[in-house]
Amino acid sequence: LIRGGTRIPILWGVACALWAALLWLPAPAAAAPPDLRGARVLWVHVGKAGGGATRDYLRENDVFRGSGPVINCKPKALKKRFRRPGAGVVEVHMCALNGPLLEAAHFHALAVSLREPVGRLVSAFKWTRYRRRRGWTKVRRATRQLFRCFPSVEQFGRALVNGSTASRECAAEARKFTDARTGPAGHHMTMNYQFYFGQVLQQPAFRALPVVALRLPSLQADLTRLMGALGAPVVRPGLPSSHQHYSGDDDRLEAATAEALREVPALRREEAIYRHFLEVAIDLEAAANGTRRAGERRGEAGGTGGVA
């Protein structure tokens, strides 16, 4: 029998031994990336994140389905695009994802255009101003007061950071054009991550989808890896240029304003969704390598594989 004074030291030693053993247990292996050979991919084209170049690249490499984006988010419209066998990407643009679409449209993975939220908002401000100057009626009507209040993106950014730098009406206008509830009326400024994913982000069916991140800083590399993961040949490897007609607009935020904008509630919510997609995105390089190895095995065995 263990008596009083010796019981605690012995129990402590046993506990330490068990803890040490746990520390030496091998870490669980990382989950293998999904097999995307022949997959049907739903691509959510979030505006001002390289979507025009992405569409042209996918079209030139023969995996784009349809003549353009689906802009009504109706399941029937998406189903028609996937009738052709083999790997394919269907673009959704300027419409919010919803539950019925996820339930009815049979796709295997989700691709998302991603760009750091402050940079995306600045680009959207300049693009909207460009369209207004080109005389596009709907944009002119919706943004008349916005551009009266804010001739430059710096003035717009300062009003978001500190409403007292503008009149009450102008400060309210600035907030409206970062609010997803403003919807298409705010064009790409309000058609942000919250607009596209707000209805579905917490749904289990949505969160179970493999996510492909198409990041603007590394867009060409991401698209090349996506093609490899799909098992589709790259016919034209270069990334097409897009929207060069307004690329000379050098209106920009001051560094201090850009940093302060990241603490604005609307932009913080955008950052959270942006970071979520970066964190859950599959490793395209590993998926592409897995596809190549699977192709080699199929060549040896004479079999087929991939997504049904």
Side-chain angles (χ1 to χ4, degrees):
L1 290 179
I2 302 172
R3 300 189 180 275
T6 58
R7 179 178 299 176
I8 292 177
I10 292 176
L11 291 176
W12 176 252
V14 171
C16 289
L18 288 172
W19 178 246
L22 287 173
L23 289 177
W24 283 100
L25 286 176
D35 186 350
L36 296 182
R37 286 169 292 144
R40 297 188 293 271
V41 179
L42 182 70
W43 164 41
V44 181
H45 172 180
V46 180
K48 314 322 302 167
T54 298
R55 182 191 302 131
D56 291 344
Y57 178 94
L58 296 172
R59 183 180 285 132
E60 289 178 3
N61 285 289
D62 201 32
V63 294
F64 189 81
R65 298 291 176 259
S67 58
V70 173
I71 58 174
N72 55 21
C73 279
K74 292 182 178 179
K76 287 185 178 179
L78 291 177
K79 285 182 178 180
K80 290 179 182 178
R81 303 292 179 93
F82 286 127
R83 287 178 178 172
R84 178 178 163 186
V89 180
V90 169
E91 175 189 3
V92 166
H93 188 44
M94 299 178 70
C95 67
L97 298 188
N98 55 66
L101 180 145
L102 295 179
E103 294 171 4
H106 301 294
F107 48 88
H108 306 107
L110 180 80
V112 183
S113 297
L114 291 174
R115 182 177 187 174
E116 186 274 321
V118 172
R120 198 202 71 82
L121 180 63
V122 169
S123 182
F125 179 93
K126 295 180 352 181
W127 170 241
T128 305
R129 183 173 59 193
Y130 167 80
R131 294 190 67 170
R132 176 179 170 78
R133 289 172 176 171
R134 296 284 293 178
W136 294 20
T137 305
K138 289 184 179 179
V139 176
R140 286 178 67 89
R141 289 174 181 169
T143 61
R144 182 179 294 114
Q145 185 60 30
L146 176 72
F147 290 107
R148 282 179 181 171
C149 287
F150 308 113
S152 74
V153 71
E154 174 65 20
Q155 291 169 310
F156 173 67
R158 287 183 180 180
L160 285 172
V161 172
N162 183 357
S164 65
T165 63
S167 68
R168 181 180 300 177
E169 293 76 14
C170 286
E173 193 75 3
R175 291 193 297 272
K176 183 176 81 172
F177 278 86
T178 56
D179 189 339
R181 292 172 295 183
T182 305
H187 204 56
H188 289 322
M189 297 175 72
T190 52
M191 288 188 289
N192 51 24
Y193 299 124
Q194 296 169 77
F195 170 82
Y196 282 102
F197 304 109
Q199 298 180 49
V200 298
L201 195 57
Q202 299 303 323
Q203 293 188 14
F206 179 81
R207 297 180 77 90
L209 286 168
V211 172
V212 173
L214 301 177
R215 304 159 295 175
L216 187 59
S218 57
L219 185 55
Q220 182 164 350
D222 287 344
L223 285 168
T224 301
R225 294 183 187 115
L226 173 61
M227 294 291 290
L230 293 174
V234 176
V235 180
R236 296 189 178 182
L239 188 66
S241 59
S242 179
H243 297 319
Q244 294 300 305
H245 40 264
Y246 84 112
S247 61
D249 185 346
D250 60 356
D251 187 16
R252 63 188 64 192
L253 289 174
E254 294 180 5
T257 305
E259 190 63 31
L261 270 174
R262 293 183 173 88
E263 298 304 317
V264 172
L267 273 299
R268 289 178 66 181
R269 290 191 292 271
E270 285 292 282
E271 181 75 16
I273 299 174
Y274 168 74
R275 292 291 173 190
H276 165 76
F277 283 125
L278 289 179
E279 290 170 4
V280 303
I282 64 174
D283 184 341
L284 278 177
E285 184 66 30
N289 289 338
T291 297
R292 286 193 290 270
R293 288 193 295 270
E296 292 168 1
R297 290 196 296 270
R298 288 201 310 276
E300 295 171 359
T304 61
V307 178

